[in-house]
């Protein structure tokens, strides 16, 4: 199989054996990757998946293609109020609930081809042991203090109630279904003791009062100066992605840091969680309490690693030789950049701390938000119900990864990504070349006259081709090393587009083979080797697609090269060409909008966004125009199928603008603190929203 293929040192990909545990090695690149532990009380939706687990998987797979020792750890976060509350709603125990949802998470991630080295859970004895050890170290080092707070208490249940076990009237807007942590009606963050006429979620007839309760707090204020010093150092060394902690100038901007950190609770009055240990023979009033979920959640990373290998400390107490990359949504940033690092510092041991932080904004759904309660959006393994292959899902989600701003999932965009990029660009290049080799060279790679190793151009066409391909290879590596995953994927598509252009400019066809067989052989040989390069570059994003390409090339998996080279030699026999992708009917967008639209009425045919055609730079304008027309036609057809009086494309476009601008206004209003600069931004955003609404109203009147 592997004859006539160059397998020089550095080009061969070392496939890790799962028989042996992956451990770091001094003097080598050791990469430790975590994705935010998903709560074990629900099913993940597409936004959750792209926000952490899929992004981390892409980066883990990339590092493996560079032959680095890579460990990717994740698992379900199983303790806390959210789990107890959901278990209560479903009438089962917290353990039964966690067993149920852990299975659903595993099933979902398996279908999305996520390559965890270990996917565990936090409800394990080792997790309890490591959490309690950290707690005791904080106490020993003087970083814990006891505070007495007023807390809601149920007279009927005879116990203190955590915030989510209390509901009542919101003191700000008067809504009667305010929760103990937040009012969904006005969005205000609440303390359970603020609720008017509080009710116990377990039994609403029980009387709820307030009583004093003692809890332990970690003294973040005493650790702040050391935490700030660590943040500035790590942010610079690891080139963190933009987030709410520190800006591009290295200035700390988190409101909690600027206002001064305060002691943060580490215990809760619950039964489902890590028991609070006795300190120096005294329970300090903590008997029967458990650790706060956000205290133990981040400890889940080392504890899950400990369940993977007894030598877990080689990863987690090895700052000199291990680089820790953590992936999460923006709402988890504080706990990974301020809270947990402060706990690590207070613990006093030489922890492996965060090197690079990769965060995402939110992925919204078809002009709104994912909503499990309204069954709106794609949740868990339901993606397979569409018949869209996993590889296409992975491609589309990474191509729309909300790296710097919120992004919108769109069925029209998803279909266009498959039809216009994967099928017409990437798949077309690979299929065209392989079919030509099979039909014209009897499946044998011809002799292009090149020696093994990097290509030397023979004419202007080759000079441009080799130079641009090598430049794009560098761009790909730079993007992936910087964890700019969306840019890395775009670069892969640029490379395949450059391959298509090379075939076009070289006039590859039967005539070229007859009139200039040497030149034809050279073009084919170089195109085959570009396909071999594309196979490894696409692996992090679409591993099944890589496997199909390698089968068709009849070649082994390779590592990422620095330059395009003659690695598949003349005489190598390729396999049977097959199409990597199939066209998706544009009208299916409306079918899926209805299927996943949920319980609330939704517009069945929103206008595709500006990048719905997923145009790759370098593609012809003719293809771009045709793709846009196809998308427009599909949207119009879907609208006609859905309603007897469809809205025009222009009206739909303005409605989309109004919806998006409304979201901008809501997000700005939700920010704190309300600085003069922010107030000015809010006013400007509202003015834009008003003008958009006026334009929409005028357009609707004109079309009556």
């Amino acid at each position: 199989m592997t004859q006539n293929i160059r397998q020089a040192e550095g080009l061969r990909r070392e496939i890790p054996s799962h028989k042996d545990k992956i451990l770091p090695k001094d003097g080598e690149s050791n990469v430790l990757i975590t994705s935010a532990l998903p709560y074990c009380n629900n099913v993940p939706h597409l936004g959750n998946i792209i926000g952490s687990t899929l992004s981390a998987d892409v980066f883990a797979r990339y590092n493996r293609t560079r032959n680095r020792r890579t460990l990717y750890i994740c698992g379900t976060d199983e303790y806390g109020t959210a789990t107890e509350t959901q278990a209560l709603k479903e009438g089962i125990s917290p353990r039964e609930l966690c067993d149920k949802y852990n299975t659903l998470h595993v099933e979902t991630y398996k279908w999305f081809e996520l390559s965890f080295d270990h996917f565990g859970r936090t409800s394990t004895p080792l997790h309890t042991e490591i959490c309690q050890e950290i707690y005791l170290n904080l106490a020993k080092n003087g970083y814990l203090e006891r505070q007495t707070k007023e807390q809601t208490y149920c007279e009927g249940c005879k116990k203190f109630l955590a915030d989510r076990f209390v509901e009542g009237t919101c003191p700000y807007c008067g809504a009667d279904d305010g929760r103990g942590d937040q009012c969904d009606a006005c969005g205000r963050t609440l303390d359970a003791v603020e609720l008017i006429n509080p009710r116990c979620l377990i039994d609403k007839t029980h009387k709820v009062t307030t009583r004093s309760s003692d809890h332990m707090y970690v003294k973040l204020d005493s650790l702040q100066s050391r935490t700030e010093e660590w943040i500035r150092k790590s942010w610079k060394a690891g080139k963190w992605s933009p987030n709410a902690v520190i800006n591009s100038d290295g200035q700390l901007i988190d409101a909690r840091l600027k206002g001064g950190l305060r002691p943060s609770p580490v215990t809760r009055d619950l039964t489902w969680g890590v028991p609070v240990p006795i300190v120096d023979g005294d329970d300090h009033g903590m008997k029967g309490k458990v650790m706060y979920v956000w205290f133990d959640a981040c400890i889940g990373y080392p504890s899950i690693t400990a369940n993977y290998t007894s030598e877990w400390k080689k990863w987690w107490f090895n700052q000199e030789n291990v680089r820790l990359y953590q992936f999460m949504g923006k709402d988890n940033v504080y706990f990974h950049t301020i809270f947990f690092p402060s706990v690590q510092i207070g613990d006093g041991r030489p922890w492996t701390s965060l090197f690079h932080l990769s965060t995402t904004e939110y992925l919204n759904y078809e002009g709104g938000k994912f909503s499990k309660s309204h069954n709106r959006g794609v949740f868990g393994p339901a993606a397979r119900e569409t018949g869209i292959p996993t590889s296409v899902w992975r491609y589309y989600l990474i191509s729309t990864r909300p790296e710097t701003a919120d992004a919108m999932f769109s069925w029209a965009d998803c279909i266009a990504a498959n039809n216009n990029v994967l099928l017409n660009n990437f798949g077309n290049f690979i299929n065209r070349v392989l079919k030509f080799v099979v039909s014209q060279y009897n499946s044998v790679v011809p002799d292009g006259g090149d020696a093994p190793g990097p290509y030397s151009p023979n004419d202007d066409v080759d000079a441009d081709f080799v130079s641009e391909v090598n430049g794009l290879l560098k761009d790909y590596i730079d993007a992936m090393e910087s964890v700019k995953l969306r840019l890395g994927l775009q670069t892969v598509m640029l490379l395949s587009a450059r391959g298509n252009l090379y075939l076009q400019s070289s006039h590859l066809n039967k005539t070229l083979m007859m009139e200039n067989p040497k030149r034809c052989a050279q073009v084919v040989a170089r195109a085959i080797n570009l396909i071999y390069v594309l196979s490894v570059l696409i692996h992090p994003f679409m591993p099944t697609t890589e496997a199909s390409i390698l089968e068709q090339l009849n070649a082994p998996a390779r590592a990422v090269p620095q330059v395009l080279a003659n690695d598949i030699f003349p005489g190598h026999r390729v396999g049977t060409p097959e199409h990597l992708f199939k066209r998706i009917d544009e009208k299916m967008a409306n079918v899926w909008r209805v299927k996943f639209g949920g319980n609330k009425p939704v517009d069945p045919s929103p206008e595709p966004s500006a990048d719905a055609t997923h145009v790759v730079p370098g593609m012809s304008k003719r293809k771009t125009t045709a793709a846009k027309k196809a998308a427009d036609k599909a949207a119009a057809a879907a609208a006609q199928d859905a309603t007897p009086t469809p809205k025009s494309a222009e009206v739909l476009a303005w409605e989309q603008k109004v919806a998006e601008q409304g979201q901008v206004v809501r997000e700005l209003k939700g920010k704190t603190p309300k600085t003069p600069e922010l107030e000015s931004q809010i006013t400007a955003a509202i003015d834009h929203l008003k003008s958009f609404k006026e334009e929409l109203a005028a357009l609707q009147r004109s079309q009556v």
Side-chain angles (χ1 to χ4, degrees):
M1 168 182 166
T2 60
Q3 63 175 357
N4 297 325
I5 295 179
R6 190 163 73 112
Q7 284 281 281
E9 192 66 31
L11 294 180
R12 183 187 304 107
R13 192 194 310 172
E14 305 295 339
I15 308 297
S17 170
H18 289 288
K19 294 180 180 179
D20 300 320
K21 300 299 182 183
I22 302 168
L23 295 173
K25 190 173 182 180
D26 292 354
E28 294 189 7
S29 294
N30 303 293
V31 181
L32 177 58
I33 298 171
T34 72
S35 50
L37 305 183
Y39 276 133
C40 203
N41 67 334
N42 56 28
V43 181
H45 58 65
L46 297 179
N48 303 137
I49 291 169
I50 187 57
S52 58
T53 50
L54 176 56
S55 296
D57 178 71
V58 169
F59 189 65
R61 288 180 179 275
Y62 165 73
N63 278 280
R64 295 183 192 121
T65 66
R66 303 298 304 273
N67 287 326
R68 294 169 179 157
R69 291 176 180 269
T70 304
L71 183 67
Y72 177 22
I73 291 294
C74 191
T76 43
D77 181 7
E78 304 195 353
Y79 288 136
T81 314
T83 300
E84 282 200 22
T85 306
Q86 186 63 31
L88 182 66
K89 291 179 180 178
E90 297 192 19
I92 56 180
S93 70
R95 169 61 70 184
E96 290 172 327
L97 182 92
C98 291
D99 290 344
K100 168 187 173 181
Y101 282 105
N102 177 272
T103 299
L104 285 171
H105 277 268
V106 170
E107 179 186 356
T108 299
Y109 301 142
K110 183 178 180 180
W111 190 83
F112 275 98
E113 298 176 358
L114 303 188
S115 59
F116 306 111
D117 291 297
H118 185 67
F119 187 86
R121 49 201 305 186
T122 58
S123 59
T124 66
L126 277 174
H127 181 73
T128 295
E129 177 184 323
I130 294 172
C131 286
Q132 291 181 340
E133 189 173 12
I134 292 174
Y135 180 94
L136 292 172
N137 284 339
L138 288 171
K140 180 182 68 175
N141 296 334
Y143 290 117
L144 289 183
E145 67 178 23
R146 184 172 60 185
Q147 292 188 16
T148 302
K149 298 284 186 180
E150 288 295 305
Q151 188 172 327
T152 48
Y153 183 87
C154 179
E155 300 286 356
C157 296
K158 302 297 182 184
K159 68 177 184 178
F160 287 99
L161 298 177
D163 46 20
R164 294 199 187 193
F165 279 89
V166 188
E167 61 181 19
T169 303
C170 174
Y172 298 100
C173 72
D176 194 42
D177 58 352
R179 298 197 316 268
D181 59 344
Q182 178 179 314
C183 174
D184 289 336
C186 66
R188 290 285 193 101
T189 299
L190 301 175
D191 188 307
V193 298
E194 296 180 273
L195 290 171
I196 302 169
N197 300 321
R199 302 182 296 273
C200 173
L201 190 64
I202 301 171
D203 188 331
K204 296 182 181 180
T205 65
H206 288 171
K207 181 180 179 181
V208 175
T209 60
T210 59
R211 288 190 184 184
S212 296
S213 180
D214 289 342
H215 284 285
M216 298 301 285
Y217 286 67
V218 58
K219 296 159 68 173
L220 297 184
D221 49 340
S222 299
L223 292 161
Q224 179 162 350
S225 61
R226 296 170 64 188
T227 301
E228 287 188 8
E229 180 184 359
W230 171 82
I231 289 173
R232 288 192 173 92
K233 181 180 178 181
S234 298
W235 163 82
K236 186 175 182 180
K239 300 178 181 178
W240 295 2
S241 60
N243 62 80
V245 176
I246 191 166
N247 64 18
S248 58
D249 297 323
Q251 300 298 313
L252 298 174
I253 58 175
D254 182 87
R256 283 158 288 200
L257 281 174
K258 295 178 72 174
L261 294 178
R262 299 177 180 179
S264 182
V266 297
T267 61
R268 277 287 191 269
D269 286 303
L270 294 172
T271 57
W272 178 245
V274 175
V276 178
I278 294 175
V279 179
D280 297 328
D282 186 353
D283 64 22
H284 295 276
M286 300 298 116
K287 184 178 181 180
K289 300 180 190 291
V290 301
M291 293 184 184
Y292 177 36
V293 66
W294 267 117
F295 177 75
D296 87 88
C298 291
I299 302 173
Y301 302 126
S303 80
I304 290 172
T305 310
N307 278 279
Y308 167 71
T309 172
S310 60
E311 298 181 273
W312 65 275
K313 290 183 179 179
K314 289 186 176 181
W315 282 107
W316 284 99
F317 290 93
N318 195 353
Q319 183 73 16
E320 185 177 345
N321 293 294
V322 174
R323 286 188 169 183
L324 171 60
Y325 290 78
Q326 296 195 289
F327 291 77
M328 69 205 70
K330 61 182 178 182
D331 51 338
N332 284 333
V333 169
Y334 165 78
F335 295 100
H336 291 77
T337 59
I338 297 175
F339 184 82
F340 186 56
S342 297
V343 169
Q344 288 179 308
I345 293 170
D347 174 84
R349 289 176 290 177
W351 284 93
T352 299
S353 59
L354 172 67
F355 174 74
H356 180 86
L357 173 78
S358 183
T359 63
T360 57
E361 303 294 310
Y362 295 133
L363 178 69
N364 295 314
Y365 178 81
E366 289 277 332
K369 292 185 177 182
F370 288 87
S371 172
K372 186 60 179 176
S373 60
H374 294 121
N375 200 29
R376 175 174 164 78
V378 182
F379 286 79
R384 72 178 67 177
E385 297 174 13
T386 63
I388 298 175
T390 300
S391 288
V392 177
W393 275 111
R394 288 177 61 106
Y395 169 80
Y396 175 64
L397 289 173
I398 292 295
S399 70
T400 56
R401 185 176 187 248
E403 294 180 348
T404 56
D406 289 357
M408 188 69 67
F409 175 90
S410 160
W411 288 109
D413 282 10
C414 183
I415 293 172
N418 178 82
N419 294 350
N420 302 334
V421 180
L422 295 179
L423 183 62
N424 291 345
N425 169 24
F426 189 86
N428 175 69
F429 170 65
I430 293 170
N431 189 254
R432 178 180 175 185
V433 173
L434 287 171
K435 285 180 67 176
F436 195 88
V437 173
V438 170
S439 64
Q440 303 303 313
Y441 293 100
N442 195 28
S443 300
V444 176
V445 176
D447 188 353
D450 292 294
Y455 280 120
S456 299
N458 295 327
D459 57 27
D460 290 342
V461 171
D462 278 350
D464 289 343
F465 171 66
V466 173
S467 175
E468 290 180 25
V469 167
N470 289 341
L472 288 170
L473 265 172
K474 182 180 183 303
D475 291 344
Y476 170 83
I477 293 172
D478 289 345
M480 297 301 287
E481 291 294 317
S482 301
V483 202
K484 296 179 179 177
L485 308 182
R486 192 174 63 193
L487 177 59
L489 181 56
Q490 290 171 351
T491 306
V492 178
M493 296 303 125
L494 286 171
L495 276 162
S496 62
R498 188 60 185 86
N500 278 314
L501 181 60
Y502 179 60
L503 301 183
Q504 181 181 342
S505 59
S506 300
H507 307 291
L508 179 66
N509 52 31
K510 292 181 181 180
T511 302
L512 178 65
M513 184 175 178
M514 294 173 59
E515 296 180 353
N516 193 344
K518 182 178 179 180
R519 174 58 178 164
C520 187
Q522 185 183 62
V523 170
V524 169
R526 295 189 177 193
I528 283 288
N529 275 285
L530 177 56
I531 293 173
Y532 198 22
V533 170
L534 287 172
S535 71
V536 65
L537 302 190
I538 203 64
H539 167 79
F541 309 100
M542 308 167 72
T544 298
T545 299
E546 182 214 29
S548 180
I549 294 172
L550 292 176
E551 183 178 359
Q552 294 180 46
L553 281 176
N554 189 28
R558 64 171 302 163
V560 174
Q562 299 290 326
V563 296
L564 180 66
N566 185 23
D567 296 324
I568 296 183
F569 302 155
H572 175 76
R573 181 172 293 277
V574 301
T576 303
E578 293 181 1
H579 288 289
L580 294 171
F581 310 101
K582 295 180 179 179
R583 179 168 295 278
I584 300 174
D585 187 345
E586 288 88 347
K587 290 185 179 180
M588 288 303 297
N590 186 55
V591 174
W592 292 325
R593 285 192 194 104
V594 173
K595 179 178 178 64
F596 297 101
N599 307 327
K600 285 189 174 182
V602 296
D603 184 352
S605 53
E607 183 75 1
S609 61
D611 64 344
T613 53
H614 276 258
V615 177
V616 175
M619 291 178 68
S620 68
K621 290 184 178 180
R622 178 178 59 81
K623 286 185 178 180
T624 300
T625 303
K628 189 176 189 310
K629 286 182 178 178
D632 291 342
K633 183 178 180 181
Q640 188 171 7
D641 290 343
T643 173
T645 56
K647 300 174 183 178
S648 70
E650 196 173 1
V651 167
L652 289 168
W654 275 105
E655 286 184 344
Q656 182 70 12
K657 287 182 179 180
V658 169
E660 291 175 353
Q661 188 62 23
Q663 181 64 24
V664 170
V665 171
R666 286 190 291 275
E667 289 177 356
L668 288 173
K669 285 185 174 182
K671 289 184 177 181
T672 56
K674 291 290 190 298
T675 62
E677 181 182 2
L678 179 58
E679 294 290 356
S680 177
Q681 292 176 353
I682 293 174
T683 300
I686 291 174
D687 289 342
H688 282 304
L689 178 60
K690 288 179 179 178
S691 66
F692 287 172
K693 287 183 176 180
E694 290 171 358
E695 291 283 355
L696 174 61
L699 183 62
Q700 289 172 326
R701 288 194 297 270
S702 69
Q703 295 185 1
V704 173

